[in-house]
Amino acid sequence: MRHLMSPLDFTIDELYDLMKLADDIQKNRSKYAKACEGRTLATCFYEPSTRTRLSFEAAMLNLGGNVLGFASADSSSAAKGESVSDTIRVISGYADICAIRHPKEGAPLVATSHSGIPVINAGDGGHQHPTQTLTDLYTIRSLRGEIGQLTIGICGDLKFGRTVHSLINALVRYPDIRFVLISPPELVVPSYIRDDVLKARGIPFTEVKSLEDVMPELDILYMTRVQRERFFNEEDYIRMKDFYILDKAKMELAKENMLVLHPLPRVNEISVEVDDDPRAAYFTQAHNGVFIRMALILTLLKEAGSL
Ligand code: CP
């Protein structure tokens, strides 16, 4: 049974195939309209979500399949103390594939050992968010033609940001990638990314505090939200929440073809005045999430022998 816990679960060649399939789905929607007829996706979300849950559900509905699930721990039997292991054993009898989001790191991995169906990690705590990374890679490839030869600035909460950790893990496998990591000192990337991934692989990177200073050198700026839900105290969150605000003045410092990405939701870190800038690609990115998730559902169901 193949699951998706990390973007590294797919080889570069498999990612290429997945993106090609997403391209074909995007261009030939009707060809796939019944591809998952009679199959069911379960979305088990123990944490809030708009994009991930709804794009998974849209993806399965676009493939002619069915969806069921819950949108919060409170509306499931987790509120009565049921374990993730028991829940997935039960869901395995109701659905053909399952996407799980959970506030605890590793919870989707625990689910895999009790599951009879493919499990997709839809975000686990501050750890990984592999389907966001598939969306990010697909967007970069769609808008830049290829993934490689890029200076990528990642700005904001690099400590707790699971989208950041997954994206760095995935991008280091592509040629000539250089990172500029922009954060307050309290929110720098964890050592398991800096030492075990970047330094271990000899990937060039710098860690800086000022966004303005590095804007001119970036090919992609990946903004992230300072996440209130990951802070242990409100004072620290309030001190750091508006540390970076991307506005028109800062965009004037950037290359003409720099892309601005953001996994969304945003709070204040990108001013709405940037939305009309042709370099702002974050809403396209969110839309792309449907196509790459359609490709993922198809691929995992085929590998599980369910299609
Ligand atoms: N990008 C992302 O994971 O958004 P949601 O939290 O709305 O799913």
Side-chain angles (χ1 to χ4, degrees), residues 45 48-54 101 122 129 132 162-163 225 262-265 293:
F45 276 57
S49 167
T50 296
R51 269 145 300 277
T52 310
R53 187 171 67 83
L54 297 184
R101 169 170 289 188
H129 192 346
Q132 180 62 50
R162 59 193 174 199
T163 62
R225 173 176 66 98
H262 190 310
L264 302 178
R293 288 184 174 100

Side-chain angles (χ1 to χ4, degrees), residues 208-272:
V208 301
K209 194 170 159 188
S210 164
L211 175 58
E212 286 92 329
D213 288 354
V214 297
M215 281 298 277
E217 61 191 271
L218 305 179
D219 299 308
I220 292 174
L221 173 59
Y222 193 94
M223 292 296 293
T224 64
R225 173 176 66 98
V226 173
Q227 303 170 95
R228 177 181 230 141
E229 64 272 29
R230 308 271 178 245
F231 276 81
F232 294 112
N233 72 69
E234 184 75 1
E235 261 174 46
D236 284 349
Y237 168 70
I238 288 167
R239 193 161 46 82
M240 277 177 267
K241 71 184 174 72
D242 292 331
F243 207 93
Y244 299 105
I245 297 178
L246 182 65
D247 55 16
K248 268 190 174 174
K250 290 193 189 73
M251 287 299 287
E252 278 171 22
L253 304 170
K255 290 181 184 173
E256 274 180 19
N257 65 347
M258 186 194 78
L259 291 179
V260 183
L261 299 179
H262 190 310
L264 302 178
R266 70 157 155 206
V267 185
N268 291 326
E269 63 278 6
I270 301 180
S271 166
V272 290

Side-chain angles (χ1 to χ4, degrees), residues 128-234:
Q128 297 264 8
H129 192 346
T131 63
Q132 180 62 50
T133 300
L134 298 182
T135 304
D136 301 340
L137 296 178
Y138 182 54
T139 302
I140 293 170
R141 181 179 161 280
S142 302
L143 297 177
R144 300 293 299 221
E146 60 177 336
I147 306 168
Q149 291 84 44
L150 294 169
T151 296
I152 303 183
I154 307 185
C155 178
D157 177 1
L158 311 189
K159 180 178 180 183
F160 300 113
R162 59 193 174 199
T163 62
V164 171
H165 306 155
S166 285
L167 184 62
I168 292 174
N169 263 308
L171 281 172
V172 295
R173 298 191 293 176
Y174 290 90
D176 297 325
I177 297 287
R178 177 179 164 253
F179 292 99
V180 181
L181 304 173
I182 309 147
S183 74
E186 296 91 335
L187 296 178
V188 295
V189 285
S191 63
Y192 69 83
I193 296 291
R194 183 190 306 102
D195 299 333
D196 303 348
V197 179
L198 295 170
K199 285 188 183 167
R201 297 184 67 120
I203 305 295
F205 72 97
T206 52
E207 294 185 277
V208 301
K209 194 170 159 188
S210 164
L211 175 58
E212 286 92 329
D213 288 354
V214 297
M215 281 298 277
E217 61 191 271
L218 305 179
D219 299 308
I220 292 174
L221 173 59
Y222 193 94
M223 292 296 293
T224 64
R225 173 176 66 98
V226 173
Q227 303 170 95
R228 177 181 230 141
E229 64 272 29
R230 308 271 178 245
F231 276 81
F232 294 112
N233 72 69
E234 184 75 1

Side-chain angles (χ1 to χ4, degrees), residues 3-5 40-47 49 51-57 59-60 66-71 84 87-88 91 95-102 107-108 111 115 117-124 129-131 293 296-297 300:
H3 309 282
L4 179 69
M5 293 295 110
T40 300
L41 165 77
T43 51
C44 300
F45 276 57
Y46 296 83
E47 251 194 358
S49 167
R51 269 145 300 277
T52 310
R53 187 171 67 83
L54 297 184
S55 66
F56 261 118
E57 295 189 358
M60 193 49 153
N66 309 303
V67 295
L68 53 79
F70 53 86
V84 168
T87 301
I88 192 68
I91 298 275
D96 300 284
I97 188 165
C98 180
I100 298 185
R101 169 170 289 188
H102 202 284
S115 176
I117 57 176
V119 176
I120 299 167
N121 178 1
D124 62 327
H129 192 346
T131 63
R293 288 184 174 100
L296 178 66
I297 290 169
L300 291 182

